[in-house]
Amino acid sequence: LKPLGPQAARTDGSTHRSFTDTPSAMPPADLGRGTAAAALGGVRRPGPYERPGGSGRYGGRSNRLDRSQTCPFLLRVFHKIGNHHSLEAFAVRGKEPVDDELQVYTWPDVTLRELADLVKDVAPEARTPTARLHFRLIYPDKSGKNVMTELGEVSTGKRGPDDLKPLSTSKFQTGDLLDLAIYP
């Protein structure tokens, strides 16, 4: 706070000191933030969902989403060992096989490899070196009936062509479901 002057006159003739906020007296808006980056010499460490950019089959840094500025959405993944769920299991909204459900908060640019890594945390069968995780997208068509389309396959033992495939390159929209078959 900085005084306007030693004394300011009031309309009734008396005097008093007046104060006002000045930009120099205000702390910076990001005070306390970025201290970890400052401790690392100005270098920011990547977060768990950040991956290095590259020019691959599904694009690189130019079309990446800023996950620190974008709100994640709920993705419902229904997993089953040895096979996919039938389409009839998803015929009625609210009657999905919730015993096999995994709820993930993520972003539209999440890759199938990132989803597979999350599934491995909760499904021991997906951790074996020979495991294959096969993803299908479930969404309503124009008539409102659910349809299933192939998304891709991720192997836990080796990298494959669908590993870096983001959901945003498919027909996926927020609210759609994923069906996952785990072949140990």
Side-chain angles (χ1 to χ4, degrees), residues 18-38:
S18 297
F19 294 88
T20 182
D21 293 333
T22 61
S24 62
M26 297 294 291
D30 62 349
L31 185 67
R33 297 181 196 162
T35 53

Side-chain angles (χ1 to χ4, degrees), residues 51-64 164:
R51 57 190 179 274
S55 57
R57 179 173 163 187
Y58 298 105
R61 279 203 174 272
S62 61
N63 60 359
R64 293 244 353 256
L164 298 178

Side-chain angles (χ1 to χ4, degrees), residues 39-165:
L40 294 172
V43 178
R44 186 176 170 278
R45 290 182 14 198
Y49 285 105
E50 296 178 31
R51 57 190 179 274
S55 57
R57 179 173 163 187
Y58 298 105
R61 279 203 174 272
S62 61
N63 60 359
R64 293 244 353 256
L65 189 69
D66 184 2
R67 291 181 173 184
S68 66
Q69 299 293 320
T70 306
C71 183
F73 62 89
L74 175 65
L75 176 63
R76 299 175 69 194
V77 181
F78 298 89
H79 59 89
K80 187 174 180 182
I81 309 301
N83 206 353
H84 281 281
H85 291 93
S86 67
L87 191 55
E88 289 78 33
F90 303 98
V92 179
R93 197 62 142 177
K95 304 242 180 185
E96 296 90 359
V98 293
D99 292 339
D100 301 330
E101 183 176 6
L102 173 64
Q103 295 184 347
V104 179
Y105 284 94
T106 190
W107 295 267
D109 67 340
V110 67
T111 64
L112 296 183
R113 171 59 68 181
E114 288 174 317
L115 289 173
D117 289 342
L118 291 172
V119 170
K120 286 193 281 185
D121 289 340
V122 296
E125 300 85 5
R127 295 182 203 140
T128 64
T130 59
R132 292 178 300 120
L133 287 76
H134 191 263
F135 293 89
R136 287 186 181 170
L137 176 65
I138 302 166
Y139 63 95
D141 64 4
K142 291 181 181 180
S143 66
K145 182 181 175 186
N146 281 340
V147 292
M148 211 180 260
T149 59
E150 303 292 324
L151 274 181
E153 184 176 54
V154 174
S155 297
T156 57
K158 60 182 178 179
R159 300 286 181 195
D162 293 331
D163 284 7
L164 298 178
K165 181 179 182 179

